[in-house]
Amino acid sequence: MPDYIDLSPKQMWREIRPSAGDRADFDIKLSGTMLSQMHLIRAFEEKVLELAGLGLVHGPAHSAIGQEGGAVGSATSLRPSDQVNGSHRAHHQFLAKALGYVSQEGIDPKAAFGGDIRTLAKRTLAEILGLSQGFCRGRGGSMHLRWAESGNLGTNAIVGGGVPMAAGAAWAHKRAGTGDVVYTYFGDGATNIGSVLETMNLAAAWKLPICFFIENNRYAVSTRVDEVTAEPRLSSRGLAFGIPAFKVDGMDSVAVHLASEEANGIMRAGNGPTIIEADVYRYFHQNGPMTGSAFGYRSKEEEAEWRTRDPLDALARNLLERQVLGEDAVRLLRDRCVNLMDDVATELVETHDGKQRIIPSLWPEESFRDFGLRGDLSEFNGARFEELENFSGAITEDARFIDAVASVMGRRMKTDERVVVLGEDVHRLKGGTNGATKGLSAEFPDRVLGTPISENAFTGLAGGMASDGRVLPVIEFMYPDFMWVAADQVFNQIGKARHMFGGDSDMPVVLRTKVAIGTGYGSQHSMDPAGIFATAPGWRIVAPSTPFDYVGLMNSALLCRDPVLVLEHVELYASKGPAPADDLDYFIPLGKAKVVRQGTKVTVVTYLAMVAKALAAVEALGIDAEVIDLRTLDRAGFDWETVESSIRKTGNVVIVEQGTSGTSYGGWLADEMQRRCFDWLDQPVARVHGSEASPSISKVLEAAAAARQQDIEAGLRAVMANQGMPVSG
């Protein structure tokens, strides 16, 4: 018979229930503020549902009626400089944090509301209606509310999607040493999603000041929490990660506030993250003005029972019992909130032909559609641009490409303390798996962050760092295929953030990764991601093929206020070429291709390792070809001027890329080129690319799956033959 030893978790897990003494001693002024906030939020949400019922809310209206206690109880424990974010149901959290910001001395439940509160209500309602007066100019609507000045980082339509971003803000706070904290709010459904669990682990490992606030309202749309998890007490998640956790009655705003104060004490002392689980109940369906019972997934009796626990009534009773407020004062508070929302709505909605409609002049102009998808690159004003041919500094002729990668990053980290490098093994192995971060961890140990194998978490964390504005994160994906693991953070969060939140929010993230075709790592480590990123909004893409270009383009990527993918290639790492001997401070413009060989008969357009292969193919065949190294690959930065000038001269073009046809970069480019350059082309745009199948482990099959020099030669022969100029070489 073996011995059994019971193990204890590293951290506590407690339920907090206020005593009668706690309630009697609870601050009267704070109680009045909390009651005022909850009534304002309730009246706001009722107005949203009223307008939704009239068909005036385009898209969902996820109301939080019934859940005000959790938002207000926690937000009133925060400083103005603390930050929050939330999920799709977050009007109450957004408003609670914003109300605390505009009324830092509190809100008297007996007094008229100030102009700042009215403006806040109007701008928030305008955003939910999709109007230009909203915080995000109508772009965000109900699910994407951001007001950075108030500490609202931005709410999120992807369940759990904003949690890693909040951790990035928490990292910035920790580094700044301000004692500020971040609350990330999400529901019961998000506790089972990978991004949340990954972030809990990362936050605990790095002791980040972030509170994972779980609003357990028991239903993910119509699915009960006990149907999808064996442990419906969701704060138990903290035990697995060594995070102290609290469970409270979320309908009791006093209990939530006390739990939040406990959590804040832990976080502000530098002891890492916390979890608060608040049991709450949404009085309406997932979306819109009908109840859940109308859809058959819960009973009217259940809804009625939870109505008796209304958080507004619970706090009002406490104040009535303490003779702080009378029933008339509570009723008048309710009336003022309703009247405020009625007045605000009249400034956004009008009656026309007997029906309610949005006032037409308040809609955004259609010309605003693409504004802010990327920045205007004004940050490059005054930058020193260089090309190898006119560079006046000392040159090392046979510099290794990989040394240029590490050298320029070291230089930027030395001159700009905001630069932080993070990724798997970047702090070990003499510079990661390829030496790209060589020497950096020794010189900057607190800014070279070896991460867990959690691409979703650390990518989103980098996005949160960048959005904060005090950090310039450089992510390394060991292989580009790992972007699929982090796809939500890469594309839904980082790529869309600037546009989604109104067009003014910078997102200076640099993502480095390497194309590893030819290394024998098989189909899940060998993709070329250029084609995927080129079709994704928001991203810029650079692909340097020489050490000199790498230095200039990496500097530009770090200066840019947009997210930039820096593509590298394993074949290039060991290659040698000219690089600056000591001047690592120049830039190469984003959006500027380079003609690396002049010619008059055919234009070859390519990038990365295929530049050298294309040049070799042209020389081998003796063709009078012009070869263009694109260097910048995103749609916004594509150098049409250089490419079109060449096509006008040659009348023929071949797009050369190494990777597979399915995720091909050349697919969209050939289509665009065919339409833009139709009148100058003597034949259709030709393409050289890999097979449909991903590269295999087999050396022979891997070689066959990728485009090689012989494939480029075959493509060039075909183009020249179509022009009646067969090639014999």
Side-chain angles (χ1 to χ4, degrees), residues 237-248:
R237 303 294 193 266
L239 301 180
F241 301 109
I243 302 175
F246 304 94
K247 182 175 174 61
V248 294

Side-chain angles (χ1 to χ4, degrees), residues 271-349:
N271 294 322
T274 57
I275 291 175
I276 296 175
E277 177 190 5
D279 288 325
V280 296
Y281 198 80
R282 55 171 165 83
Y283 289 165
F284 291 87
H285 179 52
Q286 164 80 356
N287 169 35
M290 299 179 69
T291 61
S293 59
F295 295 86
Y297 60 86
R298 61 192 194 194
S299 69
K300 291 181 179 180
E301 292 75 19
E302 177 184 307
E303 291 173 341
E305 192 277 328
W306 279 92
R307 281 282 185 177
T308 66
R309 299 171 58 186
D310 191 308
L312 281 66
D313 295 341
L315 184 56
R317 278 195 302 272
N318 177 267
L319 294 174
L320 288 167
E321 291 168 1
R322 297 168 68 187
Q323 298 183 347
V324 175
L325 288 179
E327 292 182 0
D328 288 346
V330 175
R331 185 172 59 255
L332 288 172
L333 171 61
R334 162 70 176 169
D335 291 343
R336 282 198 303 277
C337 293
V338 171
N339 291 338
L340 171 67
M341 291 312 306
D342 286 342
D343 289 345
V344 164
T346 61
E347 297 181 15
L348 305 174
V349 176

Side-chain angles (χ1 to χ4, degrees), residues 567-707:
L567 272 182
E568 301 163 12
H569 200 296
V570 170
E571 283 187 33
L572 294 175
Y573 282 160
S575 68
K576 295 182 178 181
D582 47 29
D583 177 4
L584 298 170
D585 298 330
Y586 61 89
F587 300 87
I588 288 176
L590 300 180
K592 185 61 179 174
K594 184 174 185 178
V595 177
V596 294
R597 187 186 190 280
Q598 298 282 346
T600 62
K601 300 302 182 183
V602 61
T603 298
V604 179
V605 174
T606 190
Y607 60 94
L608 278 183
M610 299 306 279
V611 174
K613 288 182 170 59
L615 288 169
V618 167
E619 294 300 327
L621 296 177
I623 294 175
D624 183 15
E626 185 147 293
V627 179
I628 299 176
D629 181 354
L630 291 175
R631 301 199 297 193
T632 297
L633 305 183
D634 57 89
R635 291 171 182 260
F638 191 88
D639 187 357
W640 285 108
E641 181 180 357
T642 296
V643 172
E644 288 177 349
S645 175
S646 179
I647 292 174
R648 278 195 293 268
K649 177 172 57 175
T650 66
N652 303 286
V653 62
V654 181
I655 300 171
V656 174
E657 58 186 319
Q658 187 179 29
T660 59
S661 60
T663 56
S664 163
Y665 175 76
W668 83 266
L669 181 56
D671 171 70
E672 185 73 9
M673 195 176 285
Q674 195 76 34
R675 289 183 287 109
R676 291 179 67 116
C677 305
F678 183 82
D679 290 341
W680 309 319
L681 288 168
D682 295 333
Q683 59 181 306
V685 174
R687 293 179 56 202
V688 175
H689 53 73
S691 65
E692 181 182 1
S694 300
S696 305
I697 294 292
S698 166
K699 188 173 184 178
V700 172
L701 296 178
E702 180 183 38

